[in-house]
Amino acid sequence: EKLRFIQTYGAGVDKLAAASLPGHIVVARAEGKYDARIAEWVIAWVFMHAKQMPAFIAQQKERKWIKIFQPQMVAGSRMLIVGYGSIGHHVAAKGISLGMIVAGI
């Protein structure tokens, strides 16, 4: 009964909400704290995919240079963001700044 406040380090509090906490306990989340970091991580993967980096790295490790690469330009490509919340907005802004055609749902 002394517990009145829970602060999470992440944005998701679904598990706490489902835990049937007493009504007097306030649950706070770290909304927005990681948006820019996650958006940069997403953009890094966009480049990894567009430039076929996993295949390139695998060939480099094997010291084989088979020409299978047809890197794509990120500018002009399409990005669909599923879940257009705070993180999605950050991803969209970075995608737009790279010249991508961005849509969010």
Side-chain angles (χ1 to χ4, degrees):
E1 293 189 11
K2 291 183 179 183
L3 180 64
R4 294 186 180 156
F5 185 85
I6 298 173
Q7 172 69 55
T8 67
Y9 61 87
V13 294
D14 297 340
K15 288 182 182 178
L16 284 173
S20 299
L21 295 171
H24 70 279
I25 298 176
V26 175
V27 178
R29 58 191 179 149
E31 183 178 3
K33 178 155 177 59
Y34 304 104
D35 297 352
R37 291 172 195 239
I38 294 171
E40 285 186 5
W41 183 84
V42 169
I43 295 299
W45 279 102
V46 167
F47 276 104
M48 290 283 288
H49 177 73
K51 305 305 179 187
Q52 300 177 356
M53 293 303 292
F56 178 76
I57 291 168
Q59 282 193 15
Q60 189 177 36
K61 284 181 182 178
E62 296 173 15
R63 296 180 182 256
K64 294 180 180 175
W65 306 109
I66 304 165
K67 186 173 170 100
I68 60 168
F69 303 107
Q70 294 181 359
Q72 304 297 313
M73 290 293 296
V74 171
S77 63
R78 298 177 188 272
M79 174 186 279
L80 175 63
I81 300 170
V82 179
Y84 204 60
S86 184
I87 293 170
H89 279 91
H90 276 78
V91 172
K94 292 189 182 306
I96 290 167
S97 73
L98 293 168
M100 299 180 81
I101 301 162
V102 178
I105 56 172

